[in-house]
């Protein structure tokens, strides 16, 4: 009996496929080609500049010479600056860890005063322990009640309901009122404390942070001598759900007769980038969510006291986003300096090794111990995509870049 023609054709096709697969298996394998990726949605191929050997920033740098920075020297070379820490009594052990690191790497040479702030009185134990860990003066300030309390124009029922929505999007501290109060205070009230009116520069130090590198020059004098307004170590992306109305309110402020306050050489492009993480820009309504991580900042309080920033903070404060959303002082400070300061006055303290878990700034320098050069996080690998430094270098430049260093891409960090 003859085999039907369709069956013969099917058998022939199967045999042809079989021989094709055999040929493919025995052939030398071709070079494996990765999947086609949407380059526009990839993060930059980024070689961490911390892998390059790091020295000091340019001269002039003010150093210890004899007794010029000795504690108690009324004619020292110190300027009106302080190490500044918002801390609670129960955080004493974590603060002592931070103090010991910074005293060992820097302040035992320069003896700048420590200023501690709290919304309640410091205990005798706290004062005794902190003073025992520095030769410098220690100041203990209590935050005025009117600076810390939730302002009268905030509707607490709406604040509670808003926190429920934030929780649905896994926003941390949504219902923690003290966290919202802290963000507001750090954004626009700390520099108004009566005890800080004679202070121009500050270095913010939080409990449970680490400093890895010896720094042999006066960082405050560096800020003054080089006309710097703001200094950072780490730059990150924020959660868009915490700041959904922050950029629209910023645009509203500028449109209300305040566009003249913009610095001529501002960092607007950095704040509005939508190529590297487009979802962030979309969800934050035009804001890239890039910000300087403000648990470390060395800055000039005169900038916060300027008419431009004061007007901006007042607008944001009245809008209520510190309580109805979770606007942090990091994005608020970053937008403030990004818009109203010359971007060349913003300095990356590459040479200061720093860690606030889980992120680090670790330069390649013999002055650093305890961290791995070029490592951005000690957490999961996906956290590398939170690094916003590539965008800062793209729009503002890398002041530490070596003249002949064309960065070699070593890893691609995909966008969210």
């Amino acid at each position: 009996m003859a085999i039907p023609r369709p069956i013969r054709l099917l058998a022939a096709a199967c045999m042809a496929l079989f021989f094709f697969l055999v040929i493919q298996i025995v052939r030398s394998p071709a070079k494996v080609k990765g999947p086609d990726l949407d380059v526009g949605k990839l993060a930059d191929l980024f070689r961490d500049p911390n892998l390059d050997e790091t020295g000091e920033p340019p001269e002039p740098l003010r150093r210890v010479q004899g007794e010029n920075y000795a504690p108690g020297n009324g004619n020292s070379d110190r300027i009106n600056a302080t190490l500044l820490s918002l801390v609670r009594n129960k955080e004493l052990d974590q603060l002592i860890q931070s103090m010991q690191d910074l005293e060992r790497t820097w302040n035992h040479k320069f003896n700048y005063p420590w200023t501690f702030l709290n919304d309640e009185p410091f205990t005798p134990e706290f004062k005794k322990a902190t003073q025992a860990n520095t030769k410098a003066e220690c100041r203990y300030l209590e935050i005025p009640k009117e600076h810390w309390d939730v302002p009268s124009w905030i509707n607490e029922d709406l604040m509670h309901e808003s926190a429920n929505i934030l929780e649905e999007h896994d926003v941390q501290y949504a219902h923690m009122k003290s966290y919202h109060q802290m963000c507001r205070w750090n954004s626009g009230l700390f520099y108004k404390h009566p005890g800080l009116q004679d202070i121009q520069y500050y270095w913010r130090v939080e409990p449970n942070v680490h400093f890895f590198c010896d720094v042999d020059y006066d960082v405050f004098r560096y800020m003054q001598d080089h006309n710097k307004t703001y200094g950072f170590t780490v730059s990150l992306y924020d959660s868009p759900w915490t700041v959904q109305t922050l950029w629209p309110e910023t645009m509203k402020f500028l449109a209300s007769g305040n566009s003249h306050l913009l610095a001529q050489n501002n960092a607007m492009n950095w704040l509005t980038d939508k190529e590297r993480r487009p979802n962030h820009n979309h969800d934050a309504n035009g804001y890239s969510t890039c910000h300087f991580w403000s648990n470390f900042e060395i800055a000039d309080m005169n900038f916060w006291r300027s008419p431009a920033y004061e007007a901006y903070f007042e607008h944001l404060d009245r809008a209520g986003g510190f309580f109805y959303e979770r606007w942090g002082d990091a994005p608020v400070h970053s937008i403030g300096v990004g818009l109203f300061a010359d971007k060349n006055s913003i300095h990356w303290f590459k040479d200061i090794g720093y860690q606030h878990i889980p992120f680090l700034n670790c330069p390649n320098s013999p002055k650093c111990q305890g961290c791995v050069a070029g490592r951005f996080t000690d957490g999961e690998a996906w956290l590398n995509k939170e690094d916003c430094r590539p965008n800062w270098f793209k729009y503002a430049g890398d002041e530490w870049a070596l003249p002949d260093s064309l960065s070699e891409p070593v890893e691609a960090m995909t966008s969210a």
Side-chain angles (χ1 to χ4, degrees), residues 65-343:
Q65 295 179 330
E67 299 295 308
N68 64 331
Y69 282 99
N73 180 356
N75 295 313
S76 78
D77 287 340
R78 285 184 291 274
I79 58 175
N80 55 336
T82 191
L83 303 169
L84 191 67
S85 185
L86 174 66
V87 59
R88 296 186 182 278
N89 290 302
K90 64 183 180 182
E91 296 173 305
L92 176 59
D93 290 344
Q94 296 96 319
L95 177 72
I96 293 301
Q97 132 70 43
S98 302
M99 283 188 73
Q100 289 176 344
D101 267 17
L102 191 51
E103 285 288 330
R104 183 188 71 253
T105 56
W106 184 74
N107 200 45
H108 79 277
K109 307 161 200 171
F110 298 96
N111 296 293
Y112 272 94
W114 286 85
T115 301
F116 305 104
L117 296 114
N118 194 348
D119 65 325
E120 58 187 27
F122 284 107
T123 63
E125 177 193 10
F126 185 98
K127 294 179 180 179
K128 181 179 179 181
T130 48
Q131 187 63 79
N133 279 278
T134 180
K135 296 176 293 182
E137 176 189 1
C138 290
R139 304 167 181 174
Y140 305 91
L141 303 178
E142 190 171 347
I143 299 170
K145 190 172 184 295
E146 63 272 19
H147 286 184
W148 192 258
D149 283 352
V150 177
S152 59
W153 56 86
I154 296 299
N155 183 313
E156 298 217 15
D157 291 333
L158 179 58
M159 182 171 71
H160 180 79
E161 291 304 316
S162 299
N164 290 336
I165 295 172
L166 292 175
E167 275 195 339
E168 291 175 6
H169 294 287
D170 299 320
V171 173
Q172 285 185 305
Y173 315 122
H175 276 289
M176 187 182 293
K177 184 167 77 169
S178 62
Y179 191 88
H180 293 263
Q181 291 170 297
M182 176 193 69
C183 290
R184 174 179 180 257
W185 181 83
N186 272 326
S187 293
L189 294 167
F190 76 95
Y191 53 86
K192 297 180 181 178
H193 195 290
L196 294 174
Q197 294 313 294
D198 63 330
I199 300 296
Q200 181 176 355
Y201 296 96
Y202 67 97
W203 181 338
R204 179 167 159 182
V205 183
E206 292 204 348
N208 200 31
V209 300
H210 293 274
F211 297 94
F212 301 111
C213 307
D214 290 329
V215 179
D216 296 320
Y217 61 92
D218 183 341
V219 299
F220 296 124
R221 293 298 293 259
Y222 172 81
M223 296 285 286
Q224 183 181 73
D225 293 342
H226 294 264
N227 197 28
K228 300 296 183 181
T229 296
Y230 190 89
F232 72 97
T233 52
V234 175
S235 179
L236 299 173
Y237 287 91
D238 210 346
S239 165
W241 298 106
T242 67
V243 291
Q244 280 198 300
T245 63
L246 177 56
W247 192 250
E249 284 297 338
T250 300
M251 292 297 96
K252 189 185 299 183
F253 170 74
L254 294 176
S256 301
N258 294 303
S259 60
H260 67 284
L261 298 174
L262 288 169
Q264 185 174 356
N265 186 34
N266 62 60
M268 176 74 81
N269 289 340
W270 173 65
L271 294 168
T272 57
D273 176 81
K274 59 183 178 182
E275 294 183 12
R276 194 159 183 264
R277 300 194 69 178
N279 290 351
H280 276 233
N281 181 287
H282 176 270
D283 293 342
N285 295 298
Y287 173 34
S288 67
T289 76
C290 279
H291 64 279
F292 305 119
W293 215 22
S294 60
N295 44 65
F296 174 106
E297 56 185 12
I298 301 174
D300 183 348
M301 285 196 223
N302 285 347
F303 174 79
W304 310 130
R305 295 167 178 146
S306 69
Y309 186 81
E310 283 279 63
Y312 177 58
F313 172 74
E314 179 66 22
H315 176 90
L316 297 183
D317 200 23
R318 287 288 173 175
F322 293 109
F323 297 95
Y324 300 145
E325 289 185 351
R326 205 208 69 191
W327 296 350
D329 51 275
V332 171
H333 277 186
S334 300
I335 292 174
V337 295
L339 294 180
F340 309 122
D342 187 309
K343 64 186 176 187

